[in-house]
Each structure stands twice: as C-alpha cells, then as structure tokens.
Amino acid sequence: MIRQYMERFHRIRKDWTVSEKSWEPSALELRETQFTLGNGAFGSRGIYEELPQDSLPGTFMAGFYDRVGSQVAELVNIPNPFRLSFTLRGEQLGIGKMDHSSHRRDLDLKHGILFRHTQYRDTKKRRYDYRSVRFLSMADRHLGVMHADLTATDAAAEIDVEGALDMSVWNSGTVTEGRKKHWRIREVSNEGGFEYVRIEGLENNYSVGFATALLIRQGTRKWVAKDSHFKLRLRKGQTVSVTKIFVIHGTQDRDPDKLLVRCVDHLRDVIKAGAQQVARQHIRTWDKLWSTATITIKGAPHDQKALRFNTYHLLACAPAPGSRGSIGAKTLSGDGYRGHIFWDSDIFLMPFFTHTYQNAAVDMLLYRYDRLNPAREIAKKFGYRGAMYPWESAGAGTEETPAWAKGLDGSVIEIFTHEQEHHITADIAYAVNRYYTMTGDDNFMLDCGFEMLFETARFWASRVEYNRRTKFYSISNVIGPDEFHEKVSDNAYTNMLAKWNLLNAHRMAAHMKKDYPREFTSLCRRINLRPSEIDEWKQIAPRIAMKVRDDGVIEQFDGYFKLRRVRLAGRDAYGLPKLPKNFQWSGVQKTQLLKQADVLMLIFLLSDVFNTKTKKVNYQFYEPRTTHKSSLSAGMHTIPAAELGEKEAAYNFFRAAAFLDLENVMNNTHEGIHAASLGNVWMATIYGFAGLTHVRDELHIKPRLPKAWSQLSFSYRWKETDLKFVIEADKVKLTVRSNRKTLPGRIKVYGKYQEFPVNKAVAFSKSGKQ
C-alpha cells in the first residue's frame, strides 16, 4: 500500500524530518506554511485535510494572477484539492473537534511528503486510528496524491466520507481590501467516479481544470467511489483506505472540452499506472534534486536540519522545467505580498539555482526577458529610454505595487517603491551577467541576455542627471535597498549598480561585436541601438557620483551622515538588535537606522571592487545601525562578518536567517515562507562560511567554519564542471568532475593557486601541505 511504501523511506530519514508532535491551535497557520508541499507548478499549504476552524487553505498555481476586486493583480488561491473528511455517528473525525490521545505530523524534507498519525476518541470513548500521507508529484507536475487509513479500533462504525474539492477558499484581505475570490465555477461533471471541475479567472478567462478520483480499499475489496460523498461500514478492528488522486491543468484555450479531456485522460492514466508507481517516480525525482542540492554539516544537527528545511523550500518552489516562470516573495506557500515577484528572485535566489539546478535559473531569467516589452513601456511612461523593470511584477510584467500597505507600527502607509526603487533594473542586469559568467551559456545571451543588458543600460543612461557644478552625474528621488529612507539622491547601491550596468553593457557589446558580429548587427538593427549610444555608456559610468569619507566609509546616500544617530538597545537571542523603548517608527527617516543591508549589499555584489579595509570600515559603521526588519538582511550580514573574522556575529546572523521560518523569528511566517531568506541561507553557507568567491574567471576558496561545525560538504556547478567540496577547520578536499579537458578557470585555495585533475579528489591544508 502507498502509505506503507512511503513510510519505508521515511523511517530511515528521521534526520530529514520537521515534526509537529501535538495539536497547537495557536500555531495552526504557522504549521500550514512550514508544511507546504510544492513542485514549482503548484504549491499547497500544509493544512489539515478536515479543515479545522481558522485554517487558511492555500493552493497556488504558478503564474495564475487576477486583479478583480484588488488594487493590483494577485496570485490566485484556487480550490483546495486536499480536503478529505470522515464523520462517525454525527461526530466529525477532526483535530480540535474530536478528542484525541496522540497526534503527530511529519514533513519529510528528503522527498516532499507530509505524514500524519492521529488517534481519536469519540464521546463514548471509542477509539479510531487515523493515518494519512500526501504529496504533490515532483515527477508529474500536474499531479497530487493523498492517502488515508482509518481503523475502527474498538467497535464497528458507520462512516460518511466527503472528498470533494474545497471551493470555499479565498485570497486574504489586506488593510485596504477584504477577502476576495478571483474565480468562478464554469463546469462540474462526473464520469464514472471521475469528478471534474473547471474554474475560470474573473479577469482574463484563464481556465483551470481539476479531475479527482477516490480509490477505496476495504479488506479484499477495491473500487472507485462513484461520488465524492459516500457511506461505508467498518467492523471492529477493520481499516478502510481512501486514496485521493487529482490532476490539475490550466489553459487559456477557448475550447473548454479540450481541458476536460486532458484532465480526465491524465487521471485515467495515473490510476492505471497505480499510486505506488506514482510515489516511486516522485521519490526518485526528489533524490535526483538532492544529489546536487544537499549541504551536509557535521557537528551541528540543528543547523543541519535548518539548512535542509531551507533547501527543501527552495526546491519545492523552483519553476517547473520550461515554464519560463519565476518565484514570488512568499514562494507558493501563501498569498503574502500577493504572490508578486521582487528583486529577491534575481539577487537572492538566482545563485542557488545557477549552481545547483540550472534549468530553473534559465526559466527565471526568461520570465524577465518575456516581460521586456512591458519594461520598455514603463520606461517610456516616465520619460526614459530602454527598459525599466517594475518593482513588483506578476503575470503581465506591468507595475503591480499597491499604493497602500501596512507599516511596521501597524498603520496604513503610502507606498513609493514603484516610483523610486529603481535599482531593480540593475539587479536584473546583474543576474543576467552573473548567470553568464558562472555558466558560459552563450545561447541564452544571444537569444535574450545581450538584449536585456543593452536595454537596461539605455535606461540608466537616460535616468542619470548631469550636475554642471560638480561635473558628475546624479540619480535623484530614489529608494535604495534600505527602504526606511525615501526620495533620496545618490544612493550608493543604486548609483554603483547603475555604473556597473553601463560599463558591463559596454564590455558585452564589444564582446558580442567581436565574437558574434552577425548577431550583434542584427540585434542593434532590431532595437535601433547606435554606436554612439554604446560609447555614451562608457563616458557616463565613471562620472556617476558616490561619496566616500576619508576613512573609507561610503555614504549610503547624499546627506545620510547628517541624520540623527540612534543607539540600539542590546541584542536578542539571535544576536539581532533591539530598538530603544518607545521608539516611534514615524520618525525613522530622520535617523541613521537602516531596515536592511544597503551599502554592505553593494560591497557583497561587487566584492572584487572593494579591498578588505573598505569592507571592514563599512561593516563596522553600518552593522550597528541596521535593524534587520527585513528577511533579506541577516543572512546577507553573515558573509562580511565571516570574511572579516567576526565569527560570533557571523554565526548569529546565519542562525537568524536559517531558523527564520523554522522558528518563526519575525512572527510572520504564517503569511508564507520568506523566499529571499532561503537563498540568503545558501549564500551565507557557501560564500560566508565555505569562503567561495569568484574573481573574474577564478574561484577562490578560503573557509571560515563556525566552531560548532567540524565539516561542511556540498556540490557546486561552475561552467559545466561539477565541484564537490569537503571542508574542515584547516583542510579543503575538492573533487572535480567535468567533460572539459581543462578547468573553466584557475582555483586558489588558502591564497595559493592549485592544480586539480579531473575525477580525482585532492586535499589541501591551511598550512599548504597536500
């Protein structure tokens, strides 16, 4: 049976398990987020199948947005397929509704499976044993399975079973809107026990079809239920097994009959293959993903589990192959931030996928390329050239930032990020270039990448303003990564990334002209790019303003040093700062307090531009001023802290990020998993503690493991070369696997260049001995 089959794998993977060992009503929505299942095409919150009071079901289909009834387009909460309810003599078998003697749920991180075991007692003290298992198939991205076993332990029982789709779901309300439903039911049918439902989006007529079947096994009898609601009788000690299989397909095809046939035929094929075969393929696919994504820590089991939790959620939200989709700020685990895509995907998530799961990285970049024309329209609207990407993006690539939102103090505040947080255009250019540098994927660049780099450079060339007095170019009226300060001028992060964007585009134009002259001529003709424009990029870039004090501290923006200093009041258990008593958020813009890394983020992205002294003085200046009120911040601080030898601080920052959602550090995990923090944890581990850095075409390795870690091992893909690292306190062991005759670049270990033969492990100690 499918449950026993999957439990066999689970029993040997206890160190890959996140557990709920008792029923905690106050943690209901938190657990729903943490136990989210996903396969990139869909995500489903880890709800209880019987839907206890205050449950917040959420099933999200990547790319399905609707704006009817909302300020902006939202990721649509579609009908919940995991509903399954048992009623015995008028009493619902449900957590919080019937007494229970024991209860446990386990999320198997290794294979994306949610297990449950609850033992109930009815009002007459008769016992019932309930076990369930569910997954969203990673092998078949349209498929989900839930299996439940119910045993009448003490006495015979008559049971009502209800397994229809839960149609009562909605998108959460915001401070300016109530709850809303973004779809209507268009068709319901039943063909031989195969229930079919088609819903349609309110805005764009996008259709989603669901086909479900309930497979019943009782003793030696097996059958497909003719309806989603049926009755049966159990003898004392007898077990009934209910396997719910569903497939989901979406389409913009105007012919609804095609969708019905596709769903029903797909479901029929799955049932023919058998649930156990489906489970086997699902497990094999997860094993393949983990073969390159696993990070192993020795000496710190809690850190190990946190890393696996974060990596699991990265893999669960990765775009389905060929989807040309990206990842929202809350993955597919909740409708926080309305499912919108921010710079998180380009800066914080791309490195993980580039070095472990390259197909997903390509899809995320193609998401941006497919929305290049809307970005051009946004630039044109504001009077600029080229492409200006929206701060919040959804399906169409238009600007989707709401005008109003809730502030840190709970008040409703006006939002200006869409008008001023322009650095996202350079962030996307940075992601394109970094992907190319790390992979050497010329095909992507010729098809999409060069065009994106040139159009973003065009934007910055038109965005800068020449100051005749200073003889420099300024960028005014912006918001940097630190969102506490609005409408500032010459934000260092924005200016330097704009400068980098211009210089890199100029360099890439020369590269394309030299190596791909025919394609270069064709692209320039298509986008009307003139040689004088390309020359202008190089002329503007060196004269973009950036202010630096004599001691090397970079001014975050013009006038920042004149703002009021606020001393933070100690640290919490994670080493994060506490605000002074009675601090008023309304005046934060007049202080030097930062929401998150800004200058330090710049130094990390352009690490090879800044020397150690500059990194140190800026870390020492800005770290005491940072409140870390963003999930993007703590993990990012791990990297400079580790590099500069601030070992305790680095480890504290890492733990704050690694346990952010596992322990609900920011008290908002119920809204969804923090996607950027997932990527941050990976970067903190690889670039912070393992000490990997890329300097041009070289890979440098200088580990600085936390004291608690005796060993760190991981895989890292670099230009068609697979690197396997095993790092200890004073030793690096590296195995290189590649079809290339030579490495893609030189490798420096502990400050010395080393030779690495292919397919052979080589170890180097800190002292230099091999």
Side-chain angles (χ1 to χ4, degrees):
M1 294 174 64
I2 185 172
R3 180 177 60 80
Q4 288 85 342
Y5 172 78
M6 301 190 96
E7 283 181 345
R8 190 166 77 240
F9 288 91
H10 179 57
R11 279 193 293 270
I12 62 174
R13 297 290 184 188
K14 293 298 183 184
D15 55 335
W16 287 78
T17 301
V18 174
S19 300
E20 170 189 80
K21 299 179 182 178
S22 63
W23 161 239
E24 301 175 64
S26 62
L28 177 62
E29 292 182 14
L30 169 63
R31 298 284 181 258
E32 289 175 349
T33 295
Q34 293 170 331
F35 290 170
T36 292
L37 300 175
N39 60 17
F42 300 92
S44 182
R45 288 170 60 82
I47 56 153
Y48 288 93
E49 44 266 37
E50 68 271 23
L51 301 178
Q53 186 175 351
D54 297 326
S55 179
L56 189 62
T59 303
F60 303 98
M61 182 177 184
F64 182 20
Y65 292 90
D66 187 274
R67 72 175 65 247
V68 174
S70 305
Q71 291 185 61
V72 291
E74 297 182 328
L75 188 65
V76 176
N77 189 359
I78 63 176
N80 162 33
F82 280 120
R83 180 187 176 214
L84 185 62
S85 176
F86 296 85
T87 304
L88 302 96
R89 303 181 182 91
E91 295 184 59
Q92 185 183 16
L93 192 86
I95 199 78
K97 294 183 178 180
M98 182 181 285
D99 288 343
H100 62 276
S101 57
S102 66
H103 168 73
R104 183 185 182 99
R105 288 198 299 173
D106 293 316
L107 175 62
D108 184 331
L109 302 171
K110 178 71 172 178
H111 295 128
I113 306 168
L114 184 58
F115 295 90
R116 176 183 177 181
H117 185 193
T118 308
Q119 292 183 309
Y120 289 103
R121 290 190 304 260
D122 66 15
T123 53
K124 295 187 177 180
K125 306 304 180 184
R126 291 172 295 209
R127 294 174 297 162
Y128 305 93
D129 188 87
Y130 179 78
R131 301 169 190 255
S132 72
V133 58
R134 73 172 79 153
F135 63 94
L136 286 175
S137 174
M138 191 61 86
D140 181 343
R141 309 282 179 134
H142 299 279
L143 172 64
V145 177
M146 183 169 71
H147 177 92
D149 290 328
L150 175 62
T151 303
T153 306
D154 295 330
E158 291 185 356
I159 303 172
D160 286 308
V161 183
E162 174 62 65
L165 290 172
D166 172 22
M167 311 297 283
S168 64
V169 299
W170 58 79
N171 276 70
S172 299
T174 66
V175 291
T176 58
E177 304 160 11
R179 295 173 177 174
K180 75 282 295 188
K181 192 184 291 271
H182 286 291
W183 47 266
R184 60 173 70 90
I185 299 172
R186 278 302 195 193
E187 185 178 358
V188 178
S189 64
N190 186 318
E191 296 186 15
F194 287 12
E195 298 230 356
Y196 174 74
V197 174
R198 178 170 66 89
I199 66 168
E200 184 180 83
L202 300 179
E203 178 185 21
N204 54 17
N205 296 323
Y206 187 88
S207 289
V208 179
F210 300 77
T212 62
L214 298 176
L215 281 60
I216 317 302
R217 178 172 180 168
Q218 186 176 2
T220 58
R221 291 182 60 215
K222 297 180 183 178
W223 71 96
V224 176
K226 293 181 180 181
D227 198 286
S228 59
H229 182 199
F230 60 93
K231 298 177 182 291
L232 54 83
R233 182 175 177 80
L234 287 181
R235 299 189 304 273
K236 176 182 177 180
Q238 190 178 33
T239 299
V240 62
S241 299
V242 180
T243 303
K244 184 175 188 179
I245 301 177
F246 60 86
V247 296
I248 309 175
H249 286 274
T251 182
Q252 288 182 311
D253 195 316
R254 296 291 181 177
D255 186 353
D257 291 338
K258 291 182 180 180
L259 187 59
L260 186 152
V261 171
R262 188 191 313 170
C263 290
V264 172
D265 284 354
H266 189 173
L267 181 59
R268 186 176 289 112
D269 290 342
V270 170
I271 292 174
K272 184 177 179 180
Q276 189 160 308
Q277 175 64 14
V278 168
R280 185 180 295 113
Q281 293 170 344
H282 169 76
I283 288 170
R284 286 174 179 171
T285 306
W286 268 104
D287 283 339
K288 185 178 180 180
L289 292 173
W290 279 111
S291 67
T292 56
T294 297
I295 300 176
T296 302
I297 296 171
K298 290 186 178 179
H302 294 295
D303 293 344
Q304 175 69 89
K305 183 170 288 189
L307 262 175
R308 286 173 176 165
F309 176 83
N310 282 271
T311 307
Y312 160 78
H313 279 287
L314 279 168
L315 295 172
C317 72
S323 65
R324 302 172 78 102
S326 193
I327 300 171
K330 295 294 186 180
T331 68
L332 293 171
S333 61
D335 57 7
Y337 288 114
R338 303 171 189 259
H340 292 172
I341 292 155
F342 294 71
W343 69 313
D344 307 27
S345 60
D346 310 285
I347 295 297
F348 298 94
L349 298 178
M350 276 293 294
F352 168 80
F353 292 112
T354 298
H355 296 292
T356 60
Y357 188 17
Q358 190 171 310
N359 289 340
V362 173
D363 277 313
M364 292 166 69
L365 292 172
L366 288 174
Y367 169 86
R368 293 298 192 185
Y369 178 74
D370 290 345
R371 289 150 184 82
L372 188 57
N373 279 336
R376 290 182 173 115
E377 290 300 315
I378 295 172
K380 184 178 179 181
K381 174 185 173 183
F382 284 95
Y384 305 126
R385 298 195 304 271
M388 175 183 170
Y389 278 95
W391 178 241
E392 298 187 29
S393 180
T398 54
E399 181 59 74
E400 299 290 356
T401 304
W404 303 91
K406 184 184 290 187
L408 289 172
D409 59 358
S411 63
V412 177
I413 59 173
E414 190 171 2
I415 301 298
F416 298 102
T417 51
H418 59 299
E419 297 175 353
Q420 300 171 31
E421 203 149 354
H422 294 173
H423 65 78
I424 189 170
T425 297
D427 298 329
I428 292 168
Y430 182 92
V432 170
N433 186 75
R434 190 184 185 284
Y435 169 80
Y436 184 40
T437 303
M438 296 298 108
T439 65
D441 188 346
D442 289 308
N443 290 332
F444 169 78
M445 294 301 292
L446 290 170
D447 291 341
C448 312
F450 289 124
E451 184 177 356
M452 296 171 74
L453 292 180
F454 298 162
E455 291 289 39
T456 52
R458 273 178 150 172
F459 164 72
W460 290 114
S462 66
R463 178 67 178 85
V464 297
E465 306 155 19
Y466 184 65
N467 187 319
R468 295 183 181 277
R469 182 179 59 82
T470 64
K471 310 298 185 193
F472 279 91
Y473 289 94
S474 290
I475 303 177
S476 61
N477 198 35
V478 297
I479 299 173
D482 160 38
E483 295 171 335
F484 283 171
H485 299 91
E486 301 169 337
K487 300 180 182 179
V488 302
S489 294
D490 293 330
N491 169 254
Y493 180 95
T494 304
N495 283 23
M496 279 293 289
L497 262 290
K499 176 179 181 178
W500 171 90
N501 197 164
L502 289 164
L503 290 175
N504 183 66
H506 182 274
R507 181 172 64 87
M508 286 297 174
H511 162 56
M512 190 182 185
K513 184 177 181 180
K514 176 177 178 289
D515 293 348
Y516 302 101
R518 186 171 59 184
E519 291 86 346
F520 177 71
T521 300
S522 175
L523 176 59
C524 288
R525 186 180 299 117
R526 179 160 58 84
I527 65 175
N528 194 27
L529 179 62
R530 304 180 305 278
S532 59
E533 274 192 88
I534 298 172
D535 292 340
E536 185 185 31
W537 299 343
K538 190 176 182 179
Q539 295 167 9
I540 291 173
R543 299 165 70 185
I544 293 179
M546 188 173 83
K547 295 184 179 180
V548 184
R549 278 193 334 200
D550 292 342
D551 61 358
V553 175
I554 299 167
E555 187 170 30
Q556 182 173 292
F557 55 81
D558 187 24
Y560 175 83
F561 290 146
K562 298 177 181 178
L563 298 178
R564 178 168 59 89
R565 171 76 190 274
V566 176
R567 295 192 179 276
L568 297 167
R571 306 269 173 166
D572 64 15
Y574 290 98
L576 299 182
K578 297 178 180 179
L579 289 165
K581 202 171 184 179
N582 300 321
F583 178 78
Q584 298 295 316
W585 284 109
S586 58
V588 70
Q589 180 145 346
K590 297 178 181 179
T591 75
Q592 291 185 352
L593 290 180
L594 313 181
K595 181 180 180 182
Q596 61 201 56
D598 194 305
V599 170
L600 296 184
M601 186 77 209
L602 165 67
I603 290 174
F604 165 72
L605 294 182
L606 303 180
S607 181
D608 56 341
V609 173
F610 301 98
N611 60 32
T612 301
K613 179 182 177 182
T614 300
K615 293 177 181 179
K616 185 172 184 178
V617 296
N618 280 278
Y619 174 82
Q620 291 175 338
F621 181 84
Y622 284 108
E623 190 280 327
R625 292 164 168 79
T626 306
T627 64
H628 303 288
K629 291 299 180 182
S630 166
S631 62
L632 284 64
S633 192
M636 185 48 56
H637 274 71
T638 303
I639 300 169
E643 183 179 356
L644 297 170
E646 300 284 346
K647 293 183 178 181
E648 183 178 355
Y651 188 51
N652 283 337
F653 286 133
F654 168 81
R655 292 185 70 255
F659 290 91
L660 185 74
D661 289 315
L662 193 56
E663 294 188 355
N664 196 22
V665 173
M666 298 186 75
N667 294 314
N668 63 355
T669 296
H670 64 280
E671 297 176 356
I673 291 290
H674 295 82
S677 187
L678 302 178
N680 249 335
V681 170
W682 186 87
M683 288 196 290
T685 304
I686 306 304
Y687 303 136
F689 295 141
L692 264 66
T693 56
H694 289 274
V695 181
R696 293 174 291 279
D697 287 330
E698 298 178 0
L699 178 63
H700 296 185
I701 310 156
K702 190 175 182 181
R704 40 256 177 172
L705 298 187
K707 290 181 180 179
W709 299 8
S710 60
Q711 188 182 91
L712 171 66
S713 60
F714 58 93
S715 298
Y716 191 85
R717 187 163 180 78
W718 177 36
K719 287 187 177 179
E720 300 178 325
T721 301
D722 294 311
L723 308 177
K724 175 67 176 180
F725 289 91
V726 180
I727 296 173
E728 297 178 357
D730 58 356
K731 185 171 70 174
V732 172
K733 181 180 178 182
L734 175 58
T735 304
V736 177
R737 301 190 187 280
S738 178
N739 293 324
R740 301 167 59 113
K741 293 182 180 179
T742 60
L743 289 176
R746 293 198 296 174
I747 300 179
K748 183 185 283 188
V749 184
Y750 292 122
K752 296 181 180 179
Y753 291 106
Q754 306 291 358
E755 295 295 325
F756 289 92
V758 176
N759 299 326
K760 183 179 179 181
V762 181
F764 295 92
S765 68
K766 200 170 185 179
S767 62
K769 297 180 180 180
Q770 184 172 337

